[in-house]
Amino acid sequence: MPELAETYACVPSTERGRGILISGDPKSNKVLYTNGRSVIILDLNNPLNVSVYGEHAYPATVARFSPNGEWVASADVSGTVRIWGAYNDHVLKKEFKVLSGRIDDLQWSPDGMRIVACGDGKGKSLVRAFMWDSGTNVGEFDGHSRRVLSCAFKPTRPFRIVTCGEDFLVNFYEGPPFKFKQSHRDHANFVNCVRYSPDGSKFISVSSDKKGIIFDGKTAEKIGELSSEDPHKGSIYAASWSPEGKQVLTVSADKTAKVWDISEDGSGKLKKTLTCSGSGGVDDMLVGCRWQNDHLVTVSLGGTISIFSASNLEKSPLQLSGHMKNITSLAVLKSDPKCVLSSSYDGLIVKWVQGLGYSGKLQRKENSQIKCFAAAEEEIVTSGFDNKIWRISLHGDQCGDGDSVDIGSQPKDLSLALLSPELALVTTDSGVVMLRCTKVVSTINLGFAVTASVVAPDGSEAIVGGQDGKLHVFCIVGDSLKEEAVLEKHRGAITVIRYSPDFSMFASGDANREAIVWDRVSREVKLKNMLYHTARINCLAWSPNNSMVATGSLDTCVIIYEVDKPASSRMTIKGAHLGGVYALAFTDEHSVVSSGEDACVRVWKLTPQ
C-alpha cells in the first residue's frame, strides 16, 4: 500500500497589515501555524516531519499547544474553538462556539484548565475565557470597543489576563472569575500583540505606532519601553520572549527582526538586528515570530519562514518556504527526477528536492499569475489570465529571459511535445492554438467546446477532449490538424488526457469521475471500469515504466491502477489533500508526488502488493 514518505508543508496564511500567530511546544521543538482550513504541525529540527490537521469547517486562524503538549486548541473565522490530540490521529476532544466572529488569538492558562480567546464579534463579546472541558465562562471582559487582536495569560499565580486591540488599548483583568481592573492608552495606533514573560513578572505590548512598552506582570503598571535608539521603522506586528525571560524578539513591517535585552527595571536595549535575504519587496515584511529554545523563528508576509540560532546570531538563517495557495501543477525534470517544480495560480514556482524539501523559488522577471504550467529540459512554459503564453529559459535555479506571445483568448490547457518542445498545443474555449517557439503557427476552430488536449511526445499526433465527453484524435500535418478518429466512451466532460512515456497508450479522465486507458495504435480500451472516485478527476500521471496510471480527484483521493491488472486491484490514498488533488507526477517507479488545494506537496512510496 502507498505510504506517505515526505510532506513539503504549505506556508502560513498571511494578510497585509496584520500580524500572525506562530506558536509552539518547547519540549518537542514543534511549531503550529494555519493555512486555509489546515493547522500545520512542523518540526523545527526536521522540517520534513509535518503533520496536518484539517477538520475545521472554516479557515483556521490560530492554534496553540496545551501546557503539557498533549492537546492543541485551534480556532477559525467562524468563532469556533476545537480541542484535539496533538499526536497520532488528532482525535477531537471538544468543540465550542466561543465568539460570533473571527478569533485572532487564544491562550491556555498555565494549569491547562482554562482558555482565553479574543477577536471580532457582535456587541461586547470580543474576549471570552472558559473552562476547556465544559465551556463554562470564567469572567466578564468589558472595556474593548473594537476588534481584540491579542491576549495573554499570566503564566504564574495569581492569574491575570491582558488583552489589546484596534481601539489602541491594553486592558488588564484579574481573576478567576476574571473582571476588568484597568486600561492603558499608551499606544497611538493598533496594539498588535501582547505577551507575558515566562516567569510572569512582566508583559510587553507592541503596536503599529512602532513602539514596544513593558508593564509589570502583577500590577500592570508601565515600567519601561524598548529603546528609541535604532528602533523599528514600521509597524511592530509580533513579539516573543526568550525562554529565560531576559530578551524579547520583535518583528516589523520594516522587514527586520530585532533582539532586545530587557533589564530588571523594564527598559529594552537593542542587542541585534536580524535581516533576511529577500527581494526587498512587500513580501519581505515580517508579520510573525516565535522564540523557541535555541530557534528564533520569523515569518514574512510572503510566507517565508526563517530560523535563526539564538546562540549564534551571526549565523545566516535556515529558510523554509512553499506555497500559500492551491498548487495547480507539478513537473518533474527528466534530467534530475528527484527535482520537482510546483506552481500555484498566484504566480509562484517552487523547486523541491526529494529528501531535502524546499530548494528555492524560481524568480521570473514577469511575475504574472499562472493558470497552466509545463516544463521541458531547459525551459518552462506558463500561461496566465492575460491570454499570454510565456517561454522562460531555465538555468539551474534561475529563470533567464522570457518571451511571450498573445494567443488572443484565454488558455485552458497547455501541452508540450517533449521530444521537440518548441511545439506546444494550447486549448482555448472553441479550439486549439499551435505554437512553434513563441510564434502562433495556426489557430484552429474545432466547432465544439474544448476542455482538454495533449500533443504526442514526437509532435506527430494530438488528442483533444470535449465538453461532450468525446476524444478527437488528430494527425499533425505541417501546421494543421487532420481528424483521424472520434472515441466515445466517456459520460462526462474530458478533464485531462496524457500519453504514456513510451507513446504506446494514452489515458483520459472526465468530470463524471471515470478514467480510461487506451491503446494508441488500435484505439481500443485497454483498462476500463476505473470508476472508484466520487467526484471529478482533476489530474493523472503515468509511471516512467508505463505500467501504472495515477488519478487525482476533487474527492481528496489519489488512486493508482496497474495497466495489466483489473481496475479493482487498485491502490487508494484516501484524504491525500484537503480540498482536492490538483496535480500528480511520478518521480520513479515507486514514488508518486501529489499536490492540491491545501498548498502542500506530498511524496508517496508505493510498495508492490
Side-chain angles (χ1 to χ4, degrees):
M1 285 312 289
E3 281 179 13
L4 179 59
E6 293 175 2
T7 298
Y8 310 143
C10 55
V11 296
S13 291
T14 59
E15 190 185 333
R16 189 159 180 191
R18 295 216 178 279
I20 64 159
L21 176 74
I22 175 164
S23 65
D25 174 22
K27 292 194 279 292
S28 64
N29 255 331
K30 291 187 166 158
V31 293
L32 288 169
Y33 58 82
T34 60
N35 177 311
R37 285 166 39 213
S38 310
V39 178
I40 314 291
I41 307 176
L42 179 78
D43 189 335
L44 291 176
N45 298 333
N46 173 16
L48 292 182
N49 180 4
V50 176
S51 73
V52 178
Y53 177 80
E55 300 293 315
H56 276 280
Y58 295 90
T61 51
V62 29
R64 278 190 190 272
F65 284 105
S66 63
N68 62 8
E70 293 296 315
W71 301 98
V72 173
S74 57
D76 61 32
V77 297
S78 75
T80 302
V81 172
R82 291 175 76 97
I83 296 152
W84 42 276
Y87 298 102
N88 305 333
D89 291 341
H90 303 315
V91 57
L92 180 69
K93 184 83 170 170
K94 293 282 179 188
E95 180 179 67
F96 300 114
K97 177 82 170 162
V98 177
L99 299 180
S100 58
R102 168 195 172 106
I103 294 177
D104 283 304
D105 196 0
L106 61 78
Q107 176 108 42
W108 293 77
S109 63
D111 59 3
M113 299 296 289
R114 301 169 186 84
I115 292 175
V116 59
C118 67
D120 219 349
K122 295 187 179 73
K124 288 187 168 176
S125 55
L126 302 167
V127 185
R128 218 180 118 191
F130 56 94
M131 303 301 288
W132 84 279
D133 50 356
S134 63
T136 25
N137 279 353
V138 283
E140 290 292 320
F141 291 86
D142 304 329
H144 279 291
S145 58
R146 294 183 62 185
R147 181 169 168 181
V148 180
L149 297 174
S150 183
C151 56
F153 229 115
K154 182 164 172 275
T156 51
R157 292 180 185 275
F159 288 158
R160 303 282 184 267
I161 286 176
V162 49
T163 59
C164 65
E166 292 188 351
D167 50 10
F168 308 177
L169 297 180
V170 176
N171 284 357
F172 188 69
Y173 302 86
E174 288 182 342
F178 293 96
K179 54 183 188 295
F180 178 77
K181 181 72 191 315
Q182 57 175 301
S183 187
H184 288 276
R185 196 183 275 277
D186 294 282
H187 287 291
N189 206 327
F190 290 1
V191 191
N192 294 316
C193 182
V194 55
R195 294 289 174 252
Y196 261 102
S197 62
D199 63 359
S201 64
K202 304 178 190 70
F203 64 88
I204 184 170
S205 63
V206 294
S207 158
S208 295
D209 65 5
K210 308 172 191 165
K211 286 200 312 205
I213 298 178
I214 299 172
F215 298 87
D216 181 280
K218 208 184 219 169
T219 64
E221 292 308 313
K222 176 180 169 181
I223 53 177
E225 284 193 25
L226 297 183
S227 161
S228 54
E229 283 177 38
D230 196 12
H232 278 297
K233 296 177 180 59
S235 300
I236 306 178
Y237 287 126
S240 183
W241 289 83
S242 63
E244 80 292 343
K246 301 272 195 295
Q247 293 174 315
V248 166
L249 170 69
T250 57
V251 290
S252 160
D254 65 9
K255 310 181 181 74
T256 65
K258 290 182 188 283
V259 179
W260 308 83
D261 285 321
I262 308 295
S263 62
E264 280 306 309
D265 64 0
S267 57
K269 188 162 162 282
L270 182 67
K271 180 180 180 187
K272 175 97 178 123
T273 299
L274 307 171
T275 49
C276 309
S277 59
S279 57
V282 172
D283 275 357
D284 291 334
M285 291 182 176
L286 298 180
V287 292
C289 66
R290 166 85 186 160
W291 190 318
Q292 186 150 310
N293 303 331
D294 189 47
H295 301 292
L296 300 186
V297 183
T298 66
V299 181
S300 75
L301 184 63
T304 301
I305 299 172
S306 302
I307 305 170
F308 294 87
S309 162
S311 51
N312 181 4
L313 292 174
E314 302 301 325
K315 198 169 138 195
S316 55
L318 167 70
Q319 289 200 320
L320 305 173
S321 195
H323 292 278
M324 204 180 288
K325 301 277 196 293
N326 181 353
I327 300 173
T328 48
S329 49
L330 292 172
V332 174
L333 297 178
K334 278 209 171 59
S335 54
D336 181 6
K338 288 261 177 276
C339 166
V340 179
L341 299 179
S342 60
S343 78
S344 51
Y345 77 86
D346 54 358
L348 191 61
I349 304 173
V350 177
K351 181 177 175 186
W352 310 93
V353 176
Q354 258 178 283
L356 293 173
Y358 175 71
S359 165
K361 294 179 184 175
L362 297 188
Q363 300 290 347
R364 295 175 296 148
K365 303 244 183 347
E366 174 89 12
N367 212 14
S368 53
Q369 288 182 314
I370 295 178
K371 186 167 183 196
C372 316
F373 171 80
E377 283 314 285
E378 309 284 298
E379 67 173 354
I380 51 176
V381 183
T382 68
S383 79
F385 293 89
D386 55 1
N387 302 352
K388 284 186 181 160
I389 306 281
W390 283 86
R391 280 186 183 261
I392 303 155
S393 56
L394 245 154
H395 312 291
D397 291 354
Q398 292 308 310
C399 292
D401 291 335
D403 291 320
S404 73
V405 55
D406 192 321
I407 62 164
S409 57
Q410 178 103 44
K412 291 179 76 167
D413 197 359
L414 172 67
S415 171
L416 293 180
L418 288 175
L419 300 175
S420 51
E422 69 277 358
L423 173 65
L425 191 70
V426 182
T427 41
T428 61
D429 277 335
S430 59
V432 293
V433 177
M434 277 169 72
L435 298 174
R436 293 197 187 271
C437 297
T438 49
K439 189 160 169 262
V440 176
V441 290
S442 58
T443 303
I444 304 157
N445 188 339
L446 294 172
F448 59 90
V450 178
T451 52
S453 69
V454 68
V455 60
D458 61 359
S460 65
E461 182 179 281
I463 304 171
V464 178
Q467 184 74 36
D468 54 7
K470 294 176 183 171
L471 293 167
H472 299 255
V473 183
F474 294 93
C475 175
I476 297 178
V477 186
D479 294 333
S480 64
L481 300 179
K482 183 168 155 236
E483 186 163 278
E484 295 202 322
V486 179
L487 308 177
E488 299 187 35
K489 275 280 187 294
H490 283 285
R491 293 185 293 264
I494 309 294
T495 53
V496 58
I497 316 164
R498 291 286 180 268
Y499 280 105
S500 63
D502 67 357
F503 192 35
S504 67
M505 296 170 280
F506 61 90
S508 50
D510 68 29
N512 197 28
R513 69 191 180 78
E514 185 173 16
I516 298 175
V517 175
W518 309 77
D519 186 284
R520 190 189 73 81
V521 180
S522 68
R523 301 187 181 127
E524 296 294 320
V525 174
K526 189 140 182 176
L527 181 59
K528 55 177 190 284
N529 300 335
M530 299 162 73
L531 261 166
Y532 292 97
H533 284 295
T534 56
R536 64 175 275 149
I537 293 175
N538 288 326
C539 51
L540 62 81
W542 284 88
S543 64
N545 62 0
N546 314 290
S547 67
M548 290 185 282
V549 173
T551 57
S553 159
L554 194 61
D555 65 8
T556 75
C557 299
V558 174
I559 300 180
I560 297 118
Y561 301 93
E562 291 187 57
V563 178
D564 298 333
K565 291 186 182 170
S568 55
S569 67
R570 69 207 180 277
M571 295 181 270
T572 303
I573 303 168
K574 287 198 166 111
H577 294 276
L578 185 68
V581 181
Y582 281 87
L584 284 171
F586 277 84
T587 55
D588 58 42
E589 270 76 66
H590 310 294
S591 305
V592 169
V593 186
S594 65
S595 69
E597 192 174 297
D598 59 5
C600 295
V601 178
R602 292 202 163 97
V603 182
W604 309 89
K605 283 279 178 247
L606 307 181
T607 45
Q609 293 193 4

